[in-house]
């Protein structure tokens, strides 16, 4: 949909699987975030002298009062990453170039982008939310920094489920800001050919954590195999 797409990974590990895609690859933010904690602290101090660290300091104090040292550490870690992202934004992007910043998870860098783009009319920030970056009760302590302020600074929020949309609405986020955008595409443009050897192949993909209920999937595959005893089932979980 866009004339120019730039991919800015936070963790550039492994090889680029699609080097000939039409996307430009920018590793400059990843280099800042990987430079070490002392460098991120130096950036934070620099942002402080610019008068842009107050929201981060307020968040750390707020977390300390409510969640103690554990909460303050979480807020501090997020603040360093967010400030580094805001620092990168000031230096890497043209304020006169209309740009949509899209983050795949609503983490510290999302807040840094939203905060840094707030005073630039040509920039908009949108994010996608999944699970760990949405449901505060899944964290220990049950706290995610910069909530709900980050949501009010975003142009649009994409949830992977209707449940996630309702979760945000119950927390005072305007429904007009939210779109349900499930993972995958309606029309991928191709149909996978069936196996030529008669085996039924099932492929699933998720982390092996309780919330993903992979054991339920395993039980379902076993039950299907029991009912269709003449069919050989090959299950691959990524």
């Amino acid at each position: 949909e866009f004339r120019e797409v730039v991919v800015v990974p936070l963790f550039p590990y492994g090889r680029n699987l699609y080097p000939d895609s039409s996307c430009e690859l920018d590793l400059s933010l990843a280099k800042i975030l990987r430079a070490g904690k002392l460098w991120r602290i130096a950036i934070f101090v620099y942002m402080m002298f610019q008068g842009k660290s107050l929201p981060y300091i307020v968040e750390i104090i707020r977390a300390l009062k409510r969640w103690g040292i554990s909460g303050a550490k979480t807020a501090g870690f997020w603040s360093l990453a967010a400030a580094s992202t805001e620092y990168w934004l000031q230096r890497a992007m043209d304020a006169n170039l209309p740009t949509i910043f899209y983050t795949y998870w609503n983490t510290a860098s999302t807040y840094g982008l939203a905060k840094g783009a707030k005073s630039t009319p040509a920039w908009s920030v949108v994010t996608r939310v999944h699970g760990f970056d949405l449901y505060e009760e899944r964290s220990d302590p049950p706290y995610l920094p910069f909530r709900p302020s980050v949501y009010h600074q975003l142009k649009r929020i994409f949830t992977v489920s209707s449940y996630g949309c309702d979760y945000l609405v119950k927390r005072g986020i305007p429904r007009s800001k939210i779109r349900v955008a499930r993972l995958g595409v309606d029309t991928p443009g191709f149909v996978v050919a069936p196996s030529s050897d008669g085996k039924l192949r099932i492929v699933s993909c998720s982390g092996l954590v309780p919330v993903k209920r992979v054991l339920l999937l395993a039980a379902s595959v076993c039950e299907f195999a029991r009912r269709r005893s003449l069919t050989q089932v090959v299950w691959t979980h990524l």
Side-chain angles (χ1 to χ4, degrees):
E1 298 294 335
F2 297 89
R3 179 177 56 82
E4 182 181 10
V5 176
V6 181
V7 178
V8 186
L10 300 183
F11 309 103
Y13 305 122
R15 62 189 180 90
N16 182 5
L17 297 179
Y18 305 102
D20 298 325
S21 72
S22 59
C23 300
E24 178 185 340
L25 188 63
D26 183 345
L27 302 180
S28 57
L29 176 57
K31 291 177 181 178
I32 291 176
L33 295 175
R34 293 178 65 190
K37 185 179 294 185
L38 288 179
W39 176 241
R40 293 197 297 273
I41 292 175
I43 290 176
F44 189 87
V45 173
Y46 172 79
M47 299 295 283
M48 186 181 299
F49 280 111
Q50 283 196 327
K52 297 182 178 181
S53 292
L54 182 59
Y56 302 125
I57 296 172
V58 169
E59 184 67 27
I60 294 171
I61 294 174
R62 185 172 74 95
L64 178 64
K65 289 181 177 179
R66 184 170 185 184
W67 303 110
I69 297 298
S70 178
K73 285 183 178 179
T74 299
F77 177 82
W78 280 58
S79 293
L80 290 179
S84 296
T85 303
E86 186 179 0
Y87 171 85
W88 168 85
L89 182 65
Q90 291 179 350
R91 281 152 184 76
M93 303 305 298
D94 182 356
N96 296 313
L97 180 66
T99 304
I100 295 177
F101 298 91
Y102 165 73
T103 63
Y104 198 75
W105 286 280
N106 187 11
T107 55
S109 288
T110 300
Y111 180 76
L113 288 172
K115 180 175 174 294
K118 185 166 53 175
S119 58
T120 304
W123 293 348
S124 298
V125 182
V126 303
T127 194
R128 173 183 285 276
V129 289
H130 301 250
F132 81 93
D133 57 341
L134 173 60
Y135 306 112
E136 297 185 50
E137 58 272 17
R138 292 187 185 179
S139 300
D140 184 20
Y143 160 68
L144 291 172
F146 311 117
R147 268 61 168 178
S149 61
V150 64
Y151 292 118
H152 296 293
Q153 297 181 44
L154 295 168
K155 185 76 173 181
R156 191 79 72 231
I157 305 152
F158 297 97
T159 64
V160 299
S161 66
S162 298
Y163 184 88
C165 175
D166 295 338
Y167 180 90
L168 288 176
V169 171
K170 289 178 182 177
R171 281 154 179 77
I173 309 304
R175 186 176 289 272
S176 59
K177 274 182 171 280
I178 308 169
R179 298 288 186 274
V180 176
R182 294 179 174 84
L183 299 177
V185 293
D186 294 329
T187 54
F190 64 93
V191 176
V192 177
S195 301
S196 59
D197 56 8
K199 299 178 182 179
L200 174 65
R201 287 175 169 80
I202 299 173
V203 179
S204 52
C205 178
S206 79
L208 293 176
V209 292
V211 72
K212 298 297 183 180
R213 301 188 296 175
V214 179
L215 288 178
L216 181 60
L217 178 55
S220 302
V221 173
C222 291
E223 177 62 17
F224 176 85
R226 185 186 66 79
R227 296 187 183 189
R228 299 283 294 274
S229 58
L230 298 180
T231 301
Q232 183 174 356
V233 180
V234 180
W235 175 32
T236 301
H237 184 78
L238 304 175

